[in-house]
Structures are given as structure tokens and as C-alpha cells.
Amino acid sequence: MINLKTRFFGFELKNPLIVASSSLTADADKIKAFAENGAAAIVLKSVFEEEIINEYNQIGESKSASHFDEFMDYFDYKIRDQVLASYGRLIKAAKEVSKAPIVASINCVSAGDWLQFASQVQDAGADAIELNLFVMPFDPTRRAEDTRRFYIDTVKEITRRVKIPVAVKISSYFSDLAAICHELDGEKLAGITMFNRFTSPDIDIEKEKVIEAGTLSSENEYLLPLRWVGILSPRLKCPIAASTGVHEARHVIKMLLAGASAVQMASAFYKKGPAYIGEILKGLEAWMDKKGYESIGDFKGRLSLTKAANPALYERAQYLSSFGGYAGS
Ligand SMILES: Cc1cc2nc3c(=O)[nH]c(=O)nc-3n(C[C@H](O)[C@H](O)[C@H](O)COP(=O)(O)O)c2cc1C
């Protein structure tokens, strides 16, 4: 009998498939469908600090300068309360339709009221929190140390403030990725999700206009998280969930072999719907059966940096000899 159990978000999960935070997880009916089809955990759509700030600024623009301050004071609380109340309703509705853990996702770009937000999300019944932390490094006056401090301070404060498990979802935009993960690992996290994938700008050459690039990932994007899961999994105490480009059972297997405890998927579910979970689980089980593995623990991390026969491939970045042999076409 094959056992797919694993651990992430501080819970024993029935399998390694987590539905990633997205608009797929912003609605109770969709959440119900994912839970019924076997999702091990569901991360709700993030509640965004920027969204609140934008709404706040739009209201501000419509007010005359003389009324600006009083309106801003009022709307600051009002908007936050409304956003919080609506997110609280989503958490409660999700809990009613899902036996799988429901994870609230908070996107912060600054410290502060987010600590209060985390407590309220906990009170609304979330089983865990995933902190979606990201600072786009486009500000030439912001040093890496400022970003590091923001990450560590936010995580420290929130893990101190709430009782439910806290995981962090990070991007790959770090010059010292291993060091940051190592430091985050010291904060008793229930997991690190690597990596978030963001909207990107593209250019329409006919209209000569900057446009938004495709929203969904393509499957070869799994190679970036695969490298870092392989490098970091033997070095971190907390579990890792791999995210970005995980589209098929074979990608899930690769991530587990590299040392991930779980995967978070969004794009594949946008394309194929919640019933696709069953297909992936079947593929994972068939592979385990063929290989004679009975549990995830039998092969998890078998090909991580410290266990692979050729670990240098994880750390090597330059093409060296393989480029020398490239004939071109
Ligand atoms: C339409 C859409 C909305 C998303 N919204 C969020 C979000 O609110 N919070 C978050 O942490 N990630 C969000 N993501 C990122 C996903 O959770 C996931 O990390 C990313 O899409 C990479 O996984 P994938 O290759 O399986 O799509 C979103 C992704 C998509 C496609």
C-alpha cells in the first residue's frame, strides 16, 4: 500500500500536492472542488497590502486637498477593516468546504499593521499563514541589507505574534539566497515555499507598447526551483515546498527527489482544473510502485546536493565543456 503522507505548514498532509495561492483559491466553490479532488492543503489568494494602499490612494485623489487628511485617517481604518472582514469571510467559507488545511496568505511590502492582520487571520480560523514577502529590487537606494532586515523582522514579529504555523514564500531575487534561507530557517518556520512567480512586462512590437506577459508558467520553469530545492533541502531544518513550473507528475517526483516535502501548483490547475490532482497522484503512485517505494520518505532528497552522485551539477552555472561541444545550427 503506497503512503503519500508528508509534512508542510506544520501539518501531516495526505499527499504532497498543495494548491498555490491564486484566483483559483479566492472562492469557496473552487476551493471545495480542489478539496474534493484530493488537494492536501489550499493556500488562499493573498491579501495584498498594495491593494489596500491603491484603494486608499484612489479615494485620496478624488478628495480636495483640504479634506485629504481627515478622509485618509478615516479610510485607512475603513478600508483595512473591509478588506480584513472580507478575507475573514473567505477563510470561514473555505474551512466549511474543506477538510484539507486552509492557509491564509498575506502579502506585505512593509512591516507594521501586518502583524495585526496576521492575528486577525488566525482568529478567523486559518490553519496556517503563508507570508508572501517580496520586495522588487528596482530602488537604487535600497540596499540588500534593508531587504534582509525587512524579511527577518517581519517573520520574527509574526511568528512571535501568532500561534498557528507560519511559512514563508520567497522569490529567487536574492544575491545571497542560501544565506537568507538559512537565516529564515532559524525562525521556526513551518516551511519555505520557493519560488513565487510574478507578472512580467513584455513588449508588443507591432503596437510598440509594454504589455503584461503571459500569466501562467511554462513547464521548463521548474528547473530554477529544482536547483535550489536540491541545494538547500539538506541544509535547512524546515521543509520546502517547490513552486513554479510544476505541471506534471514527473515534476512532482523530481522535486521530491531533490528534497522538497511538497509542491505548490497553480498554472497546471488553471489549464486542467481540479480533477487533474487525481491524475498527478496516480502518476506519482505508479512511479513509486515501479520503483518499489512505499512512502515519500523512501526517496525524498535522494538526489539532493549531498546525496546525488554528481552534485556539482547543482552548483555549476557555466556551460564549460558542454558549450565547447556545441556545433550550433
Ligand atoms: C493568476 C495568478 C494569481 C496568483 N496570485 C498569487 C497570490 O495572490 N499570492 C501568491 O503568493 N502567489 C500568487 N500566484 C503565484 C502562484 O501561487 C504560484 O507561486 C506561481 O504561479 C508559480 O506556480 P505555477 O508554475 O504552478 O503556476 C498567482 C499565480 C497566478 C497564475
Side-chain angles (χ1 to χ4, degrees), residues 117-142:
F117 219 116
S119 311
Q120 291 190 241
V121 153
Q122 168 179 263
D123 296 344
D127 294 303
I129 293 176
E130 183 172 84
L131 291 174
N132 166 9
L133 297 179
F134 180 55
V135 180
M136 180 63 103
F138 56 66
D139 177 354
T141 64
R142 187 176 174 119

Side-chain angles (χ1 to χ4, degrees), residues 78-96:
K78 185 97 183 144
I79 293 167
R80 272 162 209 262
D81 282 354
Q82 279 169 0
V83 170
L84 265 175
S86 133
Y87 204 64
R89 284 194 294 276
L90 175 64
I91 293 170
K92 287 196 176 83
K95 286 294 297 170
E96 275 170 26

Side-chain angles (χ1 to χ4, degrees), residues 163-179:
K163 292 195 182 70
I164 55 177
V166 178
V168 175
K169 186 178 193 182
I170 58 167
S171 77
S172 57
Y173 286 67
F174 286 102
S175 52
D176 55 354
L177 186 55

Side-chain angles (χ1 to χ4, degrees), residues 115 118-119 122 129 157-166:
L115 304 176
S119 311
Q122 168 179 263
I129 293 176
E157 286 295 331
I158 291 184
T159 47
R160 238 177 252 153
R161 179 83 53 119
V162 299
K163 292 195 182 70
I164 55 177
V166 178

